[in-house]
Amino acid sequence: MVLEDRISDIWGARNPFASGGVWPDRVDQFLVDGVEESDVETWVRGACLLCSNGCGLEVAVSGGRMVGVRGRAEDRINHGRLGPKGLYGWQGEQSGRLTTPLIRRGGELVETDWETAMGAIVERSAALLAERGPLSHGFYTSGQLMIEEYYTLAVIGKAGIGTPHMDGNTRLCTATASAAFQESFGTDGQPSSYTDIDSCDALFLFGHNVAETQTVLWARMLDRLDGPEPPRLVCVDPRRTNVAERASVHLPIRNGTNLALMNAMVHELIATDAIDHDYVAEHTAGLEDLERLTAEATPEWAAEICGVPAADIRRAVEIFATSDRVVSTCSMGFYQSHQATAASCQVNNLHLLRGMLGRPGAGILQMNGQPSAENNREAGCGAALPGFRNWNNPEHVAELAELWNVDPIVIPHWTPPTNANQIFRYAEQGSIGFLWIAGTNPAVSMPELARIRSILGGEQCFVVVSDGYLTETAQLADVVLPAALWAEKTGTYTNVDRTVHLQEKAVDPPGQARSDLDIWVDYARRLDLRDKDGRPLPPWDTPEAAFEGWKACSAGRPCDYSGLTYAQLHEIGGIQWPVTTDTPEGTERLYVDGVFATTAEYCETWGHDLTTGSPVAEADFRAARFEGRAILKTAPYEPAFETPDEEYPLRLTTGRTVYHFHTRTKTSRTVQLNDAAPEVWVELSQPDAFRLGISEGDLVRVSSRRGHIDAPARISHVRDGVVFAPWHYGSQAVTAANELTLSAWDPVSKQPEFKVAAVNVRRLRAGEGPAPAPTITASAPVTPLVRVTGRER
Amino acid sequence: MHLPRYLAMLVDTERALADAYVAMSAGHRADADVTFTCASFARQATAHAAELAATVEDRYPSTGDGPDRLRPAPFTTTRTGAVGLLRDLAELHQLAVFAETTWELVEQVGYGLRDRELIAIASRRSTGLGVQVAWMRTRMKAEAAQALLVAT
């Protein structure tokens, strides 16, 4: 048992291991002051919900309260470890919670009871449905709810009401992972496994600061890097992250130039004839197009655009080409950019060209940002049909209609599913007159916040928010419902590498708070949603019954849960889908036989033009006869939507810090985490700071065409010409990085651009000491700080 | 030979298309995908108009005016609201399809002339316009139900 400070020692003690070995256990535990192990009455099983890693843990309960957590040694994800947010972040659920429903009266939110709140919601909802139909309704949800809740809302929205306007904030974090899988392999679904890290001989991290975003996954990588036969590490990131510091090759490319780099890497792989011709011939289609589209993309060409030496690009490709087992991860640096899907497809392509897929140590991990983003995607709560079904395939729609016992025409397959950007646009125009936001805080997380606030606060759309806290979004709602949070309800969720966990209810929610499942079933019953035979929709009202419903829906699809039970998840901890009668213990890797999901009957999409997002016609997809071969796709590089100019000469990028999660609803209420990163800062390179006359800690104003923020400057190792701002700090407009970002998105995944906006920076005045930024992460100062603030721990 | 006048008309069409894209991009800023996509298409149309103009001037100089009745109406102002966006897209689509078809014909004529340079330019451009036309159809389909059923 390890009891240590996970704030100053973020990744904990090393347990090095050799290639092909088993990652040693190290159980991390934290109990609040004054509580001893002997005081713990029960340990309740579950998994952490504060990043997409999904570490198995147990919640310590005493006197009806959570008093601590410890990692589960037997869990395949973490082998007992927990990161800073996992160890401490749950405490944020114990203060500042919503305990009663609120309703807007005379412009103010006032406390009310459930009957009044639900009555108001259903009255508005029913009136709009009667008057204007299902297109008047939108649902914007989260990456932090449970399968049971997502699927319940999917059935309400898609079988009951019949609206295409459903999306999750997964649009902001993981939509590109899904889109890239669909374009390359025919369907969503992570092909590989965390265990591939245990035996790889090269690691490529594309726009993925894993050291801060999934700390326990980085601990696994560190234990390989510090062990015998360490893998070579390549890092693509404009910041000098902790990953970059360990890299054999660090490519600090200009943000917004990912696709130029990727096209050059593929070009070089082809030019040096490093491709696995047998694998490519047997298992892929589209090599000719890929060669044509990357023909001019030499390393020298990309070096000019990306601002890194051509020799470094060649060196990275050489590592890829001379390794036998490569694992690549890809994350927000690639996803939240203007050519996100094409760049992420090129990561898939590198692996396909080298036959680096479906065997131990050779794999792709297109990351998720949030702990249950995967479930929003697979359960069809967002802009997709459940079970990775193809909304353009009448057979798939008919399957759902039969399962739900509704007329297929009710299921919104006759128009493309609406992405979050468009949902907010319709809400702005008032054509969506009823918008329900659950478990997410778009008033901080969406781009161009001034616009989002005006949409949510306007009269043109009735806004319902269900959340654990009175967030910046909830403050603008017409009705606010208090929701139960993690460990206050039972349900399942799935992490990056398809590992499903069951979180069991440990404590009661505070006050009158209810689970999202209960809230939505109540809504459905009050709306009197029914199937063709008059039975209530959805037919369940408990988590386990909802899970059984989901199992039936997932059967036969890639994300097949049909062989899973709550009992099995309780006993074993994490299990990877698909789990069927043939694979009762789960499935470590997909596509081990090189046969992909690109048959017309099975695939999730016919694909898209990666430049414009226009869908490929069914006839063209069928004519191409992919028949199980993966599809090699890319697009020509284009500059970002907004590039620096004379007035706004710097490139803003936004990102995260290790100590906070998203809009800090939980982590700002956790003393250890909040103390470690209490306030906003911005990062500038030393040359830029010198040029602008800015010193460490000076208050600066960062301005874009959309707004400005004021923050102390950290002089960090960020690339010259680049400004970094963490986007967590939305409690005041003047500190919210998304005041600066622009409304624009990748044409295929529709994921917004958060990684490039043109800004200028000017000094406002001297600060009161160093910037309040962490000092042992990518935010580390260039020169040691002269004044001790306590944050240097 | 009527080709020079026909090509002059195509240069005008590409310029009109570029102007239309610029107008769309400026007129529908609240629909960010329309703004940025049309800005990108405008750059392509401008470049193609210039490329074709150079070829025409060099190889097929026109002495008279182009065929007036085929010259597209200018599209420089945009409408507002969801229905306005739908109608603007429809109008733009009409213009882009006209350009696409014209390039296809020019490609065919290029074969007749055994002019490989003209064939290459025309083939590239009709493919590029095909992508743009497909985008407009997609965008209209995404908008249609909302605009025609529930837009206020």
Side-chain angles (χ1 to χ4, degrees), chain A residues 137-140 164-168 383 418-429 431-432 435 455:
Chain A
H137 276 49
F139 294 89
Y140 182 59
H165 306 325
M166 302 182 75
D167 203 3
T418 315
N419 65 77
N421 310 292
Q422 200 63 42
I423 287 176
F424 278 88
R425 174 68 178 135
Y426 291 153
E428 182 175 47
Q429 294 174 312
S431 66
I432 287 181
L435 178 62
I455 293 169

Side-chain angles (χ1 to χ4, degrees), chain A residues 478-551:
Chain A
D478 294 286
V479 178
V480 180
L481 303 175
L485 296 176
W486 175 82
E488 296 168 355
K489 55 188 178 181
T490 292
T492 48
Y493 36 88
T494 306
N495 84 334
V496 171
D497 84 338
R498 293 174 283 106
T499 299
V500 189
H501 281 101
L502 171 69
Q503 176 66 54
E504 298 166 39
K505 181 177 172 178
V507 294
D508 286 327
Q512 299 176 44
R514 299 164 69 186
S515 75
D516 293 275
L517 177 73
D518 287 347
I519 293 170
W520 281 325
V521 169
D522 185 15
Y523 170 66
R525 299 291 181 263
R526 287 170 189 261
L527 270 186
D528 198 28
L529 299 178
R530 292 180 183 275
D531 70 9
K532 278 197 300 195
D533 297 322
R535 287 188 293 256
L537 262 179
W540 54 77
D541 55 12
T542 65
E544 193 151 7
F547 188 67
E548 291 302 314
W550 166 241
K551 282 163 63 176

Side-chain angles (χ1 to χ4, degrees), chain A residues 322-368:
Chain A
T322 56
S323 300
D324 295 324
R325 297 176 306 282
V326 182
V327 168
S328 291
T329 72
C330 190
S331 194
M332 300 309 144
F334 271 41
Y335 298 166
Q336 295 176 333
S337 62
H338 66 296
Q339 294 186 296
T341 305
S344 304
C345 281
Q346 283 287 44
V347 175
N348 296 344
N349 293 342
L350 286 174
H351 283 259
L352 291 166
L353 290 171
R354 292 275 303 141
M356 290 280 171
L357 203 58
R359 56 188 166 83
I364 299 163
L365 293 165
Q366 299 277 0
M367 299 301 292
N368 302 345

Side-chain angles (χ1 to χ4, degrees), chain B residues 14 17-18 21 40-50 125 132:
Chain B
E14 282 284 3
L17 192 56
Y21 283 138
S40 165
F41 289 172
R43 288 192 292 274
Q44 292 173 33
T46 304
H48 279 91
R125 186 53 180 154
Q132 295 179 9

